[in-house]
């Protein structure tokens, strides 16, 4: 028995190997999580899992420096399933090529919200993503090229919409559903 292959295929989390953001391999858990068959994902750009090219490019840019420095990066983000539904995921990446972090990346992805569909705009997803990484409104604003007031407004609307008091409750609501 090939125990290494069994660990990869039977892992209860999605595992993906990419080369310059093109899926080169994935396990059954990842394919099922995203609503595809494995064969449909191999050779596809990871762009398939994002609503917009801008969001796809932005998440790349956020992770590059940590991957170069530590060879690892982690955050929480929205991904789009085949059926168009957004799912909130915990994302972890490890590069095997620190000088060119995206040349060979191994990722694990765990769904942390897969309840009723939560529809968020791009800006809302960006702000929630920053909150999920523990950033302040000022840090999120700097990263997105916005004013801190704009980020605070988006954050306030999200708190009101989900009837929660603070960012921690908002993230818990999105996580638990």
């Amino acid at each position: 028995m090939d125990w290494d292959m069994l660990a990869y295929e039977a892992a209860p989390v999605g595992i993906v190997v990419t080369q310059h953001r093109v899926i080169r391999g994935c396990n059954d858990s990842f394919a099922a999580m995203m609503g595809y068959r494995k064969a449909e994902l191999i050779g596809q750009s990871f762009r398939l899992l994002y609503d917009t090219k801008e969001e796809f490019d932005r998440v790349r840019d956020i992770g590059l420096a940590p991957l170069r420095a530590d060879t690892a990066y982690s955050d929480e983000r929205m991904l789009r399933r085949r059926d168009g539904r957004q799912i909130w995921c915990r994302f972890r990446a490890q590069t095997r090529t620190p000088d060119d972090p995206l040349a060979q990346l191994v990722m694990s992805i765990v769904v942390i919200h897969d309840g009723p569909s939560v529809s968020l705009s791009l800006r809302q997803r960006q702000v929630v993503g920053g909150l999920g990484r523990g950033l302040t409104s000022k840090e999120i604003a700097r990263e997105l090229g916005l004013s801190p007031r704009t980020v605070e407004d988006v954050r306030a609307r999200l708190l009101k919409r989900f009837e929660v008091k603070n960012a921690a409750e908002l993230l818990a609501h999105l996580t638990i559903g």
Side-chain angles (χ1 to χ4, degrees):
M1 174 173 287
D2 184 349
W3 293 103
D4 290 334
M5 187 54 72
L6 178 62
Y8 172 77
E9 286 299 337
V13 301
I15 299 174
V16 186
V17 177
T18 62
Q19 181 180 37
H20 296 289
R21 304 183 87 191
V22 173
I23 299 169
R24 297 299 181 199
C26 67
N27 67 357
D28 291 328
S29 295
F30 178 74
M33 174 189 314
M34 303 314 317
Y36 291 91
R37 292 187 329 270
K38 277 174 46 172
E40 294 174 305
L41 290 170
I42 305 303
Q44 293 292 324
S45 168
F46 225 74
R47 164 68 179 94
L48 177 73
L49 306 176
Y50 291 90
D51 283 339
T52 67
K53 181 183 181 320
E54 293 76 23
E55 188 171 10
F56 176 65
D57 292 343
R58 186 184 62 78
V59 297
R60 173 204 59 213
D61 296 344
I62 291 169
L64 280 176
L67 285 169
R68 283 189 183 107
D70 302 335
T71 72
Y73 176 70
S74 179
D75 70 17
E76 293 178 0
R77 63 179 60 174
M78 292 283 215
L79 293 176
R80 187 184 69 220
R81 292 175 37 90
R82 179 184 202 147
D83 62 11
R85 191 165 44 105
Q86 294 175 340
I87 55 175
W88 186 246
C89 301
R90 181 165 294 116
F91 169 89
R92 295 190 175 162
Q94 182 84 33
T95 185
R96 306 216 358 121
T97 53
D99 292 336
D100 185 6
L102 301 179
Q104 195 175 65
L105 203 60
V106 178
M107 297 174 275
S108 67
I109 299 172
V110 177
V111 175
I112 54 178
H113 176 82
D114 194 16
S117 183
V118 175
S119 179
L120 298 177
S121 70
L122 172 61
R123 181 71 71 223
Q124 290 169 330
R125 287 192 308 273
Q126 291 171 331
V127 170
V128 169
L131 294 172
R133 289 183 285 120
L135 300 179
T136 65
S137 292
K138 283 184 181 181
E139 291 168 326
I140 295 168
R142 192 175 318 114
E143 187 176 272
L144 299 175
L146 302 171
S147 74
R149 180 68 188 158
T150 299
V151 172
E152 283 296 327
D153 287 346
V154 171
R155 183 176 169 160
R157 285 193 305 275
L158 285 166
L159 296 178
K160 183 176 179 179
R161 173 181 170 188
F162 292 105
E163 299 175 350
V164 295
K165 296 176 187 161
N166 56 44
E169 286 183 23
L170 174 64
L171 293 171
H173 178 81
L174 291 174
T175 301
I176 298 166

